[in-house]
Amino acid sequence: MADSGDSAPTRTYSYLGPRGTFTEAALAQVPEAAGQNWHSVNNVGEALGDVIAGRSDGAVIAIENSIEGGVSVAQDALATMPGLRIVGEYLVPVNFVLVARRGTRLEDVKVVNAHPVAYAQCHSWMDATLPDHGHIPATSNVAAASALFETELADAAIAPPRIVDLYDVDVLGEAIGDNPNAVTRFLHVSRSTEIPAPTGADKTSLVAELPIDRAGALLELLQQFSTRGVNMSLIESRPIGDELGRYRFIIDADGHISDERVADALLGVRRFSPGVMFLGSYPRADKSPIEFDPKYADQVFVEAREWLGELLAGSSTGTVPAPPLAG
């Protein structure tokens, strides 16, 4: 992966391909990937496997959609493939077109190629326009279109709008997505253990397992965050798979691990759930500053520790003044 001479080493980034996918559009937003080698793969496991094996320096994967929610295959992969860290996130607006081989009319369409996630996001339009159509799942949005030229099993495909730049197709329907404001969130994942510096607009991701299936266990997990004033922007359960009733939780918390309130919450989760996995702290894609109650500011935690330190050092009351309560 390195060039000869004094030039900087060439980095490789894996993404769900082929060219033209929404994942490629997300990778185009990664500053350090500009001008580097982009490696197209067939699935999330292959992309992350490239990173773990050192074949790629990073991978970009879809993790959440504003319509469909979390991408379970990506969540499960992050939870079960150790040695990975999230170092960034990116948002890509999502909409679709219906395309077909040249000369195909809309009324001729009986079977449609589509990635399952894309198909779900165009369900209303498809049912209203082609109520009797059949569906063949595709491995990616671009693969749905390319399959039209490999077999004649399908008459049309749901694909990204820029598919017209890659294939000679007729567009039979534009903006067919059910929600014009749909957005997919992508993660930049690497092996780096260096945590991006806090920006004030950050997110921390982790995986936590409930230690035992009993009443109130989930509440205890959630309280590790609520009692420190840490908002969770995402919490989704995924079955661990070894037996019924065993779940792990994918959690996105507002803030950075260097924030006192977030660090204290993570310590609480670690005491509660020994199987916790830290996935990373990284800048939010929307760059929205994190808002929190002033009583959970860093200095409040620092002064509380100093007060305790004074007591342990032999002071009868502690000499560190308590911070003022927020009004």
Side-chain angles (χ1 to χ4, degrees):
M1 288 193 295
D3 294 332
S4 60
D6 297 329
S7 60
T10 299
R11 295 183 299 274
T12 297
Y13 295 87
S14 295
Y15 73 99
L16 180 62
R19 287 185 55 223
T21 61
F22 292 113
T23 310
E24 187 189 46
L27 179 56
Q29 297 183 44
V30 179
E32 55 267 42
Q36 303 301 307
N37 179 39
W38 294 8
H39 175 53
S40 170
V41 299
N42 295 316
N43 54 63
V44 168
E46 185 179 353
L48 297 181
D50 281 349
V51 177
I52 292 174
R55 293 186 295 269
S56 292
D57 298 275
V60 170
I61 61 171
I63 193 68
E64 181 185 8
N65 180 268
S66 59
I67 305 300
E68 293 297 303
V71 180
S72 58
V73 64
Q75 293 175 337
D76 291 343
L78 287 174
T80 56
M81 300 176 74
L84 297 171
R85 284 284 177 84
I86 302 168
V87 295
E89 70 169 8
Y90 301 90
L91 303 178
V92 176
V94 174
N95 212 321
F96 301 94
V97 293
L98 185 71
V99 298
R101 292 178 289 270
R102 291 289 187 183
T104 303
R105 301 174 303 171
L106 185 61
E107 54 267 32
D108 297 329
V109 175
K110 304 299 181 185
V111 179
V112 175
N113 288 332
H115 187 277
V117 175
Y119 184 68
Q121 293 183 46
C122 301
H123 204 275
S124 295
W125 189 93
M126 295 296 298
D127 286 349
T129 309
L130 300 168
D132 298 322
H133 75 276
H135 170 221
I136 297 178
T139 57
S140 77
N141 294 311
V142 175
S146 67
L148 294 175
F149 301 95
E150 299 165 2
T151 74
E152 295 188 358
L153 295 177
D155 308 299
I158 295 173
R162 57 186 175 278
I163 198 70
V164 296
D165 298 327
L166 301 177
Y167 295 99
D168 184 25
V169 291
D170 281 341
V171 178
L172 305 183
E174 295 183 336
I176 67 173
D178 298 337
N179 189 327
N181 299 317
V183 174
T184 295
R185 173 179 164 233
F186 293 84
L187 298 178
H188 175 199
V189 180
S190 78
R191 288 173 296 154
S192 173
T193 56
E194 182 178 349
I195 300 173
T199 66
D202 304 292
K203 187 177 292 184
T204 294
S205 296
L206 64 148
V207 179
E209 298 179 5
L210 294 183
I212 188 171
D213 183 22
R214 59 172 173 77
L218 177 57
L219 176 60
E220 289 183 32
L221 173 62
L222 300 180
Q223 286 175 334
Q224 306 306 318
F225 297 92
S226 63
T227 57
R228 278 90 170 177
V230 177
N231 180 59
M232 289 180 291
S233 57
L234 179 145
I235 177 168
E236 290 202 17
S237 63
R238 296 294 305 153
I240 294 175
D242 54 357
E243 61 181 270
L244 288 173
R246 289 258 293 147
Y247 289 88
R248 61 172 61 97
F249 291 85
I250 315 298
I251 297 171
D252 287 342
D254 288 348
H256 194 277
I257 191 174
S258 65
D259 297 333
E260 292 282 349
R261 66 189 184 281
V262 176
D264 205 53
L266 292 185
L267 290 175
V269 174
R270 178 63 179 83
R271 290 190 296 268
F272 172 78
S273 174
V276 66
M277 178 187 295
F278 173 72
L279 295 179
S281 286
Y282 47 91
R284 291 170 59 101
D286 60 12
K287 298 180 173 58
S288 297
I290 302 302
E291 297 182 358
F292 57 91
D293 193 308
K295 66 184 179 182
Y296 299 112
D298 284 357
Q299 190 57 30
V300 175
F301 288 86
V302 172
E303 289 174 342
R305 281 201 303 271
E306 291 176 349
W307 171 80
L308 180 60
E310 290 286 345
L311 293 177
L312 293 174
S315 171
S316 60
T317 61
T319 58
V320 179
L325 293 177

